[in-house]
Amino acid sequence: MANQILKAPEGPPSDVERIKDESNYLRGTLRESMLEQISAGISDDDNRLMKFHGSYLQDDRDLRNERQKQKLEPAYQFMLRVRTPGGVATPEQWLVMDDLAQKYGNGTLKLTTRQAFQMHGILKWNMKKTIQEIHASLLDTIAACGDVNRNVMCNPNPDQSELHQEVFYWSKKLSDDLLPRTRAYHELWLDEERVAGTPDVEEVEPMYGPLYLPRKFKIGIAVPPSNDIDVYSQDLGFIAIVERDKLVGFNVAIGGGMGMSHGDKTTYPQLAKVIGFCKPEQIYDVAEKIITIQRDYGNRSARKHARFKYTVDRLGLENVVTELHARLGWSLEEAKPFHFDHNGDRYGWVKGVGGKWHFTLFVEGGRISNYDDYKLMTGLREIAKIHTGDFRLTANQNLVIANISSQKKKKISELIEQFGLTDGKHYSALRRSSLACVALPTCGLAMAEAERYLPVLIDKIDEIIEANGLRDKEITIRMTGCPNGCGRHALGEIGFIGKAPGKYNMYLGAAFDGSRLSKMYRENIGEEEILSELRMLIPRYAKERQDGEHFGDFVIRAGVVEAVTDGTHFHN
C-alpha cells in the first residue's frame, strides 16, 4: 500500500515516458527499423528502446565533420553491452566475445566499470546475428542499458573462493530475477514467435509496470575489506557481512549515484547511505521493494532528477526506509560493523583455496586489443583456448584469469610470458589505479577525451611521481568525458570530468576506500594547468604526508580542499 504522504513530483511526463508508453512493452517499431536498408541508423524513439535491449546507436565522431562535408549520414554503428552478472565468464564465452569483436565489431573489447563486456562498431545489418551468437554462448544483452536494473556487480576476488561463490550466486540471481518479463527481446532478436494473447490475457511487467523505471538502476555487492565495486556509488548496495568465515547477510545501502550536469547545482554525485541489515535469503525481497519505491515515486518529468538518489533526497531517507519496511512487511535489522581498506584491484599471481591459482592482469582503460608492441587480445585468446577455470571482469576494468589448475599453471604462465601480458608491476601504482570511460570517438555524450587521453596524461604525471619517489604509492585517478560518471570520477582521489575538447574540471580529496567523494579543485583547465597544479601538490604530498596517509586524505588535512561531509559535492 503506497504511503499517502509520499508523492511523485508533478509535471508533464518526459518524452522518454511517452516512448515507453507507446512501445508495446519495448517493441516499438524496432523490427521494421532494423530491416530498413536506406539508413544505417534508426529513429530516435527506437534508439531509446534499443537501450533496453542492451545497445546504443552511436556514430564515429572522428569522421563526423568529413562525412557532413560529403553530405553523407554520420558513420552510424551500434555499441552492444553484454550482461555479465558479477563479471564472471567462461573461457568459451570469452572466445565467442573475441570472435564477434573481429567479425562484427571494431576488433576490440571494452571491459566496463560495471564488469560487463562492451563491443563497438557493430553495423545495423549485423546486430541480430551478433545477439544470437551471444545468446548461444549463454550470455545476453537484455537490460544491459535502459530504465531498468542493470548488470549486478559483485566483488570478483577468487582468494575467498567459497565466499565469492556464495556472493556471486546472489548477484547472478538478482540480475536474472530483476529482468524485465516482456518477450520483446526474444521476439526481435531470437526469432521467438509472438503468442497472440486472448482478450483476458495481457502482457504485464509484474514489478516494473508498463513504464518501467524513471531512469536506470544500479546494484552492487561488496565483500569487505575490498570496496572494489564502489558500493557507495550504487542506487542499491549490499555489503557482505562475514562472521567466522560464513556469510551471515548484507548491510543495505541506498541512494548512491555518480552523475551530474555541468552548471546545474540541483544535480550532484552522492554516496549511498547504510540503512540496515538483511539475511541472504531476504536480498531479493529488499531489492524488489526498493525498485518499486523508485518506480512509484521517481521523477518521470525531469530525467536529470530521475535517479533514485534524488527520490531519496526529495522524500527523505527516513520516509523511504519506513515505506520499505511497510512494503516488506518486516523491518531490516540494525546494520552490522564492517571495514573497507581500498577500492582497487590486487595484481599478479595469487594461490587461493583448493590449490587453484589466479592471475590479475592490468588492462589500461579496460580495452582488449592488439597493439603494435603488445598482442593483448591474441594472448588472452590463446589462454582461453586451454583455460579450464573462468575469467573475471573487475569493476576497475581489469581481468582476473581465475581458478587455474596446477596442471594448467605452467602453460598459462608461459603464454603470459610469451605475449608479455602484464600484472602492471612495471607501471607506476598511479597508472595501475586508473579508470577511464570510453568517451570519444564513439560516445555521443562525451565533451572531451578520456580513454584515449588519460594514458598520455599519466605519462606526464608519472614524471612528477617518479621525481618525488612515489612510483609505488597507490593514488586513484579517474577520468570521464562528460559528467555522467561512467568512470566514477567522483570517487577518484584525483578526478577529471570533461568540459570541452582538451578542458576538464579537476577534483581532489576522495577517500582511498571509496567512502568519501572528491571536491571541485579547478574548473575548465587544460593539460598545462593540470600538470602545473600536480607539480605543486605531489611534492608536498611526498614531503608532508603522515605515515600511511593516502593522497585524498592528505589534500584535505593540508587544506587544499575541504572534505565533502554531506555526501554530495558542494560545487559542480
Side-chain angles (χ1 to χ4, degrees):
M1 180 79 176
N3 186 328
Q4 296 306 306
I5 301 168
L6 306 184
K7 290 183 180 176
E10 294 179 2
S14 73
D15 202 41
V16 180
E17 296 300 307
R18 171 193 62 78
I19 293 166
K20 288 184 285 187
D21 188 32
E22 296 172 359
S23 74
N24 187 17
Y25 291 96
L26 309 182
R27 291 175 179 86
T29 56
L30 271 170
R31 188 188 297 280
E32 295 77 13
S33 288
M34 298 306 286
L35 290 172
E36 187 269 316
Q37 299 287 311
I38 295 169
S39 169
I42 58 176
S43 71
D44 186 55
D45 280 16
D46 279 342
N47 188 31
R48 295 281 191 173
L49 295 180
M50 275 295 284
K51 296 178 184 181
F52 291 84
H53 299 265
S55 183
Y56 287 69
L57 177 67
Q58 303 179 325
D59 72 292
D60 188 331
R61 291 172 62 180
D62 287 349
L63 305 176
R64 195 181 275 179
N65 290 341
E66 186 56 38
R67 289 183 70 86
Q68 219 168 5
K69 282 182 202 163
Q70 295 176 24
K71 297 189 166 45
L72 296 170
E73 75 173 8
Y76 286 127
Q77 53 188 261
F78 286 87
M79 178 275 283
L80 193 58
R81 190 177 294 150
V82 179
R83 195 175 60 97
T84 324
V88 176
T90 66
E92 294 76 21
Q93 288 167 336
W94 183 276
L95 289 170
V96 167
M97 294 306 301
D98 179 304
D99 180 54
L100 292 173
Q102 314 306 324
K103 276 198 304 197
Y104 303 130
N106 65 0
T108 75
L109 289 171
K110 175 85 170 177
L111 310 183
T112 78
T113 55
R114 291 198 65 77
Q115 299 177 291
F117 289 107
Q118 206 160 277
M119 275 191 291
H120 294 265
I122 303 171
L123 300 178
K124 183 162 97 170
W125 351 105
N126 294 326
M127 278 289 286
K128 190 168 181 177
K129 290 180 281 193
T130 307
I131 291 175
Q132 287 182 342
E133 291 187 42
I134 289 168
H135 181 76
S137 77
L138 303 182
L139 291 172
D140 61 60
T141 69
I142 304 171
C145 323
D147 297 347
V148 285
N149 178 60
R150 302 283 184 88
N151 193 51
V152 176
M153 301 173 72
C154 103
N155 176 296
N157 184 2
D159 296 356
Q160 301 164 291
S161 290
E162 287 175 24
L163 182 61
H164 175 271
Q165 196 56 38
E166 199 172 350
V167 173
F168 169 69
Y169 164 80
W170 290 111
S171 68
K172 180 150 184 16
K173 182 168 172 52
L174 277 180
S175 197
D176 292 344
D177 289 354
L178 296 172
L179 286 176
R181 295 293 170 225
T182 173
R183 302 305 294 174
Y185 179 90
H186 300 80
E187 292 167 21
L188 290 169
W189 310 110
L190 307 177
D191 293 326
E192 179 183 283
E193 288 294 324
R194 186 162 189 200
V195 180
T198 58
D200 59 338
V201 179
E202 290 184 9
E203 185 161 33
V204 293
E205 284 282 8
M207 179 181 70
Y208 287 115
L211 297 179
Y212 298 86
L213 297 180
R215 279 294 299 273
K216 59 190 172 185
F217 196 90
K218 297 179 176 180
I219 298 176
I221 307 178
V223 183
S226 173
N227 187 21
D228 59 325
I229 62 117
D230 277 327
V231 72
Y232 300 113
S233 72
Q234 315 287 336
D235 292 277
L236 170 58
F238 290 105
I239 300 162
I241 303 299
V242 180
E243 295 175 1
R244 292 188 285 280
D245 296 326
K246 295 288 182 197
L247 178 70
V248 295
F250 300 94
N251 280 352
V252 180
I254 63 170
M258 294 291 97
M260 54 177 259
S261 297
H262 283 311
D264 183 349
K265 292 186 179 180
T266 66
T267 68
Y268 42 82
Q270 181 153 282
L271 298 183
K273 298 173 181 67
V274 175
I275 59 169
F277 169 87
C278 72
K279 292 173 181 151
E281 62 274 15
Q282 296 171 321
I283 193 172
Y284 173 77
D285 203 11
V286 170
E288 181 197 41
K289 298 305 188 294
I290 286 174
I291 286 172
T292 63
I293 292 171
Q294 167 65 348
R295 177 197 69 197
D296 294 344
Y297 298 118
N299 192 326
R300 293 184 182 270
S301 184
R303 283 181 70 80
K304 280 185 179 180
H305 301 115
R307 286 293 296 275
F308 186 48
K309 61 184 174 183
Y310 301 121
T311 307
V312 172
D313 287 357
R314 193 185 73 249
L315 300 178
L317 185 67
E318 283 185 19
N319 289 330
V320 172
V321 173
T322 300
E323 177 71 5
L324 171 63
H325 291 165
R327 293 189 182 206
L328 287 170
W330 50 270
S331 296
L332 296 172
E333 295 176 38
E334 192 174 328
K336 295 185 181 293
F338 65 95
H339 171 74
F340 287 129
D341 288 336
H342 60 87
N343 62 354
D345 293 331
R346 295 296 175 259
Y347 297 100
W349 283 104
V350 174
K351 189 173 185 179
V353 298
K356 295 288 179 76
W357 288 86
H358 318 289
F359 183 81
T360 302
L361 178 74
F362 169 64
V363 182
E364 190 156 31
R367 182 67 62 178
I368 304 291
S369 182
N370 278 336
Y371 305 90
D372 290 342
D373 56 349
Y374 186 36
K375 303 302 180 193
L376 171 62
M377 199 162 203
T378 303
L380 288 170
R381 184 184 307 139
E382 294 306 309
I383 287 172
K385 287 175 183 175
I386 65 162
H387 184 32
T388 53
D390 51 44
F391 289 98
R392 300 185 181 183
L393 287 57
T394 83
N396 292 299
Q397 301 179 312
N398 297 309
L399 184 67
V400 185
I401 306 167
N403 290 312
I404 301 168
S405 66
S406 297
Q407 296 91 325
K408 295 285 183 185
K409 181 174 184 283
K410 184 171 185 292
K411 181 60 180 166
I412 288 176
S413 294
E414 288 169 0
L415 288 169
I416 287 170
E417 192 70 28
Q418 178 186 336
F419 289 97
L421 304 186
T422 177
D423 59 9
K425 298 224 172 122
H426 62 281
Y427 293 132
S428 68
L430 177 77
R431 190 180 297 274
R432 295 196 305 268
S433 304
S434 62
L435 271 190
C437 71
V438 174
L440 296 165
T442 51
C443 179
L445 300 173
M447 300 172 179
E449 296 278 1
E451 182 190 323
R452 295 195 293 194
Y453 174 56
L454 184 58
V456 178
L457 180 63
I458 290 176
D459 285 342
K460 296 171 183 178
I461 298 174
D462 268 349
E463 293 176 16
I464 308 169
I465 291 283
E466 296 272 359
N468 288 278
L470 295 172
R471 176 184 173 79
D472 297 321
K473 185 68 180 170
E474 289 174 300
I475 302 171
T476 54
I477 181 168
R478 297 175 174 183
M479 179 176 282
T480 58
C482 82
N484 280 342
C486 296
R488 300 197 295 276
H489 59 269
L491 288 170
E493 292 176 285
I494 303 172
F496 299 100
I497 306 177
K499 195 85 188 285
K503 297 289 186 180
Y504 298 86
N505 288 352
M506 182 176 178
Y507 291 77
L508 299 174
F512 188 71
D513 67 356
S515 64
R516 180 184 64 242
L517 292 169
S518 58
K519 189 173 180 190
M520 172 92 82
Y521 175 64
R522 293 286 182 266
E523 188 171 5
N524 203 29
I525 61 175
E527 183 178 285
E528 194 176 316
E529 296 135 296
I530 289 168
L531 293 173
S532 172
E533 294 293 347
L534 291 175
R535 284 191 193 103
M536 175 187 70
L537 291 170
I538 288 171
R540 279 192 65 189
Y541 174 56
K543 292 190 190 82
E544 300 171 27
R545 74 187 193 278
Q546 295 174 352
D547 189 37
E549 187 173 35
H550 291 290
F551 182 77
D553 297 330
F554 167 76
V555 294
I556 288 167
R557 183 178 61 80
V560 177
V561 292
E562 291 176 34
V564 175
T565 55
D566 68 346
T568 68
H569 287 274
F570 289 119
H571 304 289
N572 62 9

